C-alpha cells in the first residue's frame, strides 16, 4: 500500500491532549503521513518525510473520523407520519417501534441491505468512519439473525437488540419473550457475529429484572453489554449499566444526581443522542452535569426511522453545543474519543502514531465551524482505514 502525506492543514485536531494545544491536542503548521493503514508520522509540515502520494488539505482542519456508537440501520419503511404527529403535539412513547418491526419482517434481505448501504454512505460522507449497527426490528430468531448478518457486512461493531420491545405476538407474555431472547435468539445472534448485546430498559419495554437477566446471559456468552437507559423516565437503567459494568448507558435523558455520580465513578460511558430529543421535542440530556462530574460522554446519532432519522454527526455536534451547553471542543471529543470509549476501542477516534488512519478534512479552517455553521456540508474529504473514499 502506498504511503500518503497530508499537508497544507489549517489545524490538525488530534484529540490527544498533550500532543498539541488544549484538550483537542491541536497542532498548527502540521502534516501527517499515513502508511500501512495507520498514522505513521505527525510533525511540522516543513519536516515532513517523503511519501508516495500527497493530499493537499487546502488549509482545512483535519480531524479523526467520527465514531458513531449508537445506530439502528437495519430496517424497512419510514415513520414520517409519526414525526409529523409529534410536531403537532403528540408525545413520543416508543410505541412506533412495532410499526417498523412489521415493515422489516416483510422486507427481503436485499431491501434491508440496500437501505443499510444508503445510510452508511450518508454517514461516511459526513465524516463518520466507524458506525455501530444494531438489530432490533426483527424480534424473531430468524429476523434478528439476518439483521445481524446484514449489519456485519457494513461494520464489525454489531449489537444484538432482541430486547428492543416485546413484539405483538408475545403481548402479555414478557417472561416467555425474555426466555426466547436469552436462549435461541441469543444463540442465533452469536452465530451471526454480534459483538454486543443491548436492551431497552424503560417503561413499556423491559424492567430492571428482565434487563439484568438479558445482559447477564449475554455477557456470559461473551458479548459486550450496553443499555438504552433513562430515555423516557428517570428509571433504573443507568444504575443497572454501572452495576453490570456496561460499556455504555445510552440516552441518559432523565438523570438524578445519583445517576450522574454513578456514571462519573464508573467506566460506563454516557452516550448522549441529541437527535432523538430534537425529533421528539423532549428535554435534552444534562451533558453539563455529566461533564462537570467527570463522566465520560459520547455523542451518537441514534439513526432510526422513528425518533432520530439522521446520520449526521456534525448535526449532533451542533445540537450538543447549542442545546446541551457543551463547548465545541467537548462535543468533538464526545463524537470521536467518546464514541471510541463507548465501543471499548483505542485505535480510532484520535490521530496519533499507530492509530487507524480514519480522518476527515473540513472545508473550513477550524473544527469550530462544525457548530458555527450548522447544516452546512463541511466535510470535503474522508479517509477510511488509510484509503480516500
Amino acid at each position: 500500500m502506498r504511503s500518503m502525506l497530508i499537508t497544507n492543514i489549517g489545524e490538525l485536531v488530534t484529540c490527544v491532549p498533550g500532543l498539541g494545544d488544549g484538550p483537542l491536542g491541536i497542532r498548527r503548521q502540521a502534516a501527517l503521513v499515513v502508511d500501512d493503514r495507520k498514522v505513521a508520522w505527525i510533525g511540522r509540515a516543513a519536516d515532513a518525510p517523503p511519501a508516495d502520494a500527497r493530499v493537499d488539505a487546502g488549509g482545512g482542519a483535519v480531524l479523526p473520523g467520527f465514531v458513531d456508537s449508537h445506530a439502528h440501520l437495519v430496517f424497512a419503511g419510514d415513520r414520517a407520519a409519526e414525526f409529523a404527529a409529534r410536531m403537532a403535539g403528540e408525545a413520543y412513547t416508543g410505541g412506533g417501534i412495532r410499526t417498523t418491526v412489521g415493515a422489516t419482517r416483510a422486507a427481503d434481505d436485499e431491501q434491508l441491505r440496500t437501505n443499510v448501504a444508503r445510510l452508511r454512505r450518508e454517514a461516511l460522507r459526513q465524516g463518520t468512519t466507524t458506525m455501530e449497527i444494531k438489530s432490533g426490528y426483527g424480534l424473531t430468531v430468524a429476523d434478528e439473525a439476518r439483521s445481524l448478518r446484514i449489519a456485519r457486512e457494513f461494520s464489525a461493531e454489531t449489537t444484538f437488540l432482541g430486547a428492543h420491545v416485546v413484539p405483538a405476538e408475545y403481548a402479555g407474555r414478557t417472561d416467555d419473550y425474555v426466555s426466547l431472547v436469552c436462549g435461541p435468539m441469543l444463540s442465533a445472534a452469536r452465530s451471526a457475529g454480534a459483538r454486543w448485546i443491548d436492551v431497552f430498559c424503560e417503561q413499556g419495554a423491559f424492567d430492571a429484572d428482565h434487563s439484568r437477566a438479558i445482559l447477564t446471559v449475554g455477557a456470559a456468552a461473551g458479548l459486550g453489554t450496553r443499555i438504552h437507559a433513562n430515555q423516557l423516565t428517570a428509571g433504573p437503567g443507568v444504575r443497572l449499566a454501572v452495576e453490570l459494568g456496561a460499556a455504555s448507558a445510552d440516552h441518559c435523558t432523565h438523570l438524578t444526581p445519583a445517576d450522574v455520580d454513578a456514571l462519573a465513578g464508573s467506566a460506563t460511558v454516557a452516550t448522549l443522542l441529541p437527535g432523538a430529543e430534537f425529533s421528539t421535542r423532549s428535554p435534552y440530556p444534562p451533558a453539563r452535569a455529566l461533564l462537570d462530574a467527570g463522566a465520560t460522554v459520547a455523542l451518537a446519532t441514534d439513526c432510526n426511522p422513528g425518533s432520530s432519522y439522521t446520520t449526521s454527526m456534525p448535526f449532533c455536534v451542533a445540537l450538543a453545543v447549542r442545546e446541551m451547553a457543551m463547548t465545541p471542543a467537548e462535543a468533538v471529543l464526545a463524537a470521536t474519543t467518546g464514541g471510541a470509549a463507548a465501543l471499548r476501542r483505542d485505535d480510532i477516534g484520535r490521530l496519533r502514531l499507530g492509530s487507524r488512519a480514519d480522518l476527515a478534512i473540513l472545508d473550513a479552517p477550524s473544527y469550530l465551524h462544525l457548530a458555527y455553521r450548522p447544516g452546512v456540508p463541511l466535510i470535503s474529504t474522508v479517509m477510511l482505514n488509510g484509503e480516500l473514499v
Side-chain angles (χ1 to χ4, degrees):
M1 184 175 178
R2 297 191 309 161
S3 60
M4 195 174 301
L5 168 67
I6 303 174
T7 191
N8 194 16
I9 297 170
E11 62 182 20
L12 177 61
V13 180
T14 67
C15 290
V16 182
L19 196 56
D21 296 335
L24 291 177
I26 293 175
R27 301 184 69 147
R28 293 176 178 84
Q29 298 182 331
L32 64 82
V33 172
V34 170
D35 197 9
D36 193 26
R37 303 185 184 279
K38 293 182 173 60
V39 176
W41 181 88
I42 294 175
R44 292 193 331 132
D47 301 328
D52 299 321
R54 184 177 185 273
V55 175
D56 186 335
V62 174
L63 295 82
F66 297 122
V67 181
D68 187 348
S69 61
H70 185 126
H72 307 250
L73 303 190
V74 189
F75 65 85
D78 73 34
R79 282 151 56 193
E82 178 187 320
F83 173 80
R86 284 199 305 274
M87 295 305 102
E90 222 172 85
Y92 177 71
T93 65
I97 292 169
R98 293 183 180 87
T99 302
T100 301
V101 169
T104 303
R105 288 177 177 180
D108 62 31
D109 288 7
E110 195 52 36
Q111 288 173 298
L112 296 179
R113 182 176 292 110
T114 298
N115 198 46
V116 176
R118 174 181 65 86
L119 295 170
R120 186 65 191 97
R121 282 194 304 272
E122 276 185 11
L124 188 60
R125 285 196 301 269
Q126 296 173 91
T128 296
T129 48
T130 300
M131 198 168 200
E132 180 257 18
I133 303 177
K134 303 180 190 295
S135 67
Y137 291 121
L139 308 188
T140 67
V141 172
D143 283 306
E144 285 296 293
R146 76 165 176 149
S147 293
L148 288 161
R149 283 194 299 270
I150 290 167
R152 282 287 293 187
E153 296 175 20
F154 299 90
S155 177
E157 301 293 346
T158 55
T159 299
F160 167 46
L161 184 58
H164 201 178
V165 293
V166 177
E169 63 270 26
Y170 278 87
R173 297 189 295 131
T174 301
D175 287 346
D176 291 342
Y177 184 66
V178 170
S179 294
L180 179 71
V181 170
C182 291
M185 199 179 280
L186 173 59
S187 250
R190 288 183 64 210
S191 297
R195 183 178 178 216
W196 302 94
I197 187 168
D198 196 347
V199 60
F200 188 15
C201 181
E202 188 59 76
Q203 287 182 8
F206 298 89
D207 64 19
D209 290 339
H210 285 138
S211 298
R212 181 183 288 105
I214 290 164
L215 294 178
T216 300
V217 170
L223 302 185
T225 54
R226 43 206 329 106
I227 185 168
H228 284 59
N230 298 54
Q231 178 184 6
L232 306 178
T233 58
V238 162
R239 293 188 297 279
L240 180 61
V242 172
E243 172 196 328
L244 297 179
S248 66
D250 298 26
H251 285 289
C252 297
T253 310
H254 299 277
L255 299 182
T256 65
D259 293 327
V260 172
D261 290 344
L263 286 164
S266 76
T268 298
V269 175
T271 299
L272 310 183
L273 312 170
E277 280 70 47
F278 177 87
S279 296
T280 60
R281 283 189 169 162
S282 301
Y284 284 89
R288 189 74 263 145
L290 288 163
L291 289 162
D292 289 346
T296 301
V297 170
L299 286 175
T301 64
D302 191 22
C303 181
N304 75 83
S307 59
S308 185
Y309 202 5
T310 180
T311 53
S312 176
M313 285 289 276
F315 173 64
C316 292
V317 166
L319 282 180
V321 173
R322 174 63 180 83
E323 302 291 346
M324 288 158 51
M326 294 176 75
T327 68
E330 287 169 339
V332 167
L333 282 172
T336 53
T337 58
L343 296 174
R344 299 276 167 90
R345 299 274 298 271
D346 62 7
D347 61 324
I348 55 177
R350 50 183 56 80
L351 296 173
R352 65 184 178 193
L353 296 185
S355 294
R356 200 170 85 168
D358 292 352
L359 57 86
I361 302 176
L362 301 188
D363 185 16
S366 169
Y367 76 93
L368 291 169
H369 286 240
L370 290 167
Y372 177 46
R373 304 195 68 206
V376 176
L378 292 178
I379 308 297
S380 66
T381 304
V382 178
M383 178 177 285
L384 174 62
N385 202 20
E387 298 277 0
L388 295 174
V389 294

